[in-house]
Amino acid sequence: MPVKQELYGGAIVTVIPDGFLDASMLREVPDTQEVFVNSRKEQDRFEDGLGTNESVIVDLLQRVSEQDNRKALDVHIREVSSINGTNEWHLLKLDGEGTSTQTCVAAESALKWGKEDMRETLVLCLALIRLEDVETDVIITVNVPMDDASELEELDQWVSDDTRKPLPPRVRASYAVLKQMVQEFRIIDKSLFV
């Protein structure tokens, strides 16, 4: 069950999954970001379908100059992938094409955090919310590291299957979390953007 979460000192509110911890309690986080890490243990009982290693990032970025919202989404995915040490990503699902709020699922082979010589398959459930009046692009990302062999096999089958069965369960659950975060996203104080 998601819980209400104030962001940026209460200037924005949304929801995050229960059992996620504010990463700023553990490490320094840039002022433009709010980062939450999954602090669940294997024995914890949650009914949302998530595992124990997802993370959530909300990032306030200067609005990219690309006017076409779909192309702007690509700009942001490329930037996230670059930060993750790759320039190869595959868009698996896209919703809201043409609107100022779009959500998608993308997969990439990313550098494993803190280990420069190891790569992992990372699924990004990503939302772009374009706030034209304050010249800001909001990026919400639910990162889903796919380190289980059966999950990887299921993801590979999904990518190669033309029938488009439902997304693998944990990806589907993470995408549902993202969609709910977007649905509950509210700006309370626009002075944040001044």
Side-chain angles (χ1 to χ4, degrees):
M1 178 93 176
V3 294
K4 184 177 176 183
Q5 178 66 49
E6 291 185 349
L7 306 173
Y8 305 100
I12 295 174
V13 294
T14 188
V15 293
I16 64 164
D18 195 14
F20 278 57
L21 176 71
D22 184 342
S24 67
M25 295 170 57
L26 307 171
R27 63 177 174 85
E28 194 169 325
V29 172
D31 291 343
T32 62
Q33 289 185 347
E34 294 278 358
V35 179
F36 299 90
V37 294
N38 191 330
S39 64
R40 300 171 174 186
K41 306 287 184 262
E42 288 291 336
Q43 67 272 16
D44 292 343
R45 296 271 185 239
F46 293 92
E47 301 300 322
D48 56 16
L50 299 179
T52 58
N53 64 349
E54 300 85 4
S55 62
V56 173
I57 301 173
V58 179
D59 206 352
L60 303 179
L61 302 170
Q62 183 171 349
R63 186 178 163 93
V64 296
S65 60
E66 185 59 66
Q67 292 304 307
D68 179 275
N69 294 330
R70 172 66 180 88
K71 291 179 180 174
L73 178 67
D74 283 348
V75 169
H76 288 295
I77 294 173
R78 272 195 305 275
E79 183 177 323
V80 170
S81 292
S82 175
I83 290 168
N84 290 338
T86 186
N87 59 5
E88 290 185 34
W89 51 273
H90 305 284
L91 193 64
L92 306 177
K93 182 174 181 55
L94 173 65
D95 292 313
E97 189 166 4
T99 67
S100 62
T101 300
Q102 298 177 66
T103 58
C104 70
V105 178
E108 65 182 22
S109 175
L111 289 175
K112 198 160 184 156
W113 195 81
K115 298 182 180 177
E116 298 298 319
D117 57 340
M118 293 180 69
R119 299 192 85 70
E120 66 184 343
T121 297
L122 181 65
V123 172
L124 307 170
C125 298
L126 188 141
L128 166 62
I129 304 170
R130 304 202 84 193
L131 305 175
E132 189 170 352
D133 59 335
V134 290
E135 298 181 12
T136 300
D137 283 345
V138 179
I139 300 295
I140 303 174
T141 311
V142 179
N143 297 297
V144 187
M146 304 293 282
D147 47 19
D148 179 78
S150 63
E151 278 189 327
L152 282 169
E153 184 178 325
E154 190 172 2
L155 182 65
D156 287 342
Q157 286 176 351
W158 190 88
V159 169
S160 63
D161 186 1
D162 290 337
T163 63
R164 289 295 182 227
K165 299 183 292 190
L167 287 164
R170 197 160 60 97
V171 175
R172 193 168 57 245
S174 298
Y175 194 50
V177 164
L178 175 76
K179 295 272 232 174
Q180 190 163 15
M181 288 183 71
V182 169
Q183 183 179 2
E184 299 291 333
F185 187 88
R186 302 282 181 273
I187 298 170
I188 305 301
D189 182 3
K190 280 196 175 182
S191 69
L192 171 69
F193 302 98
V194 176

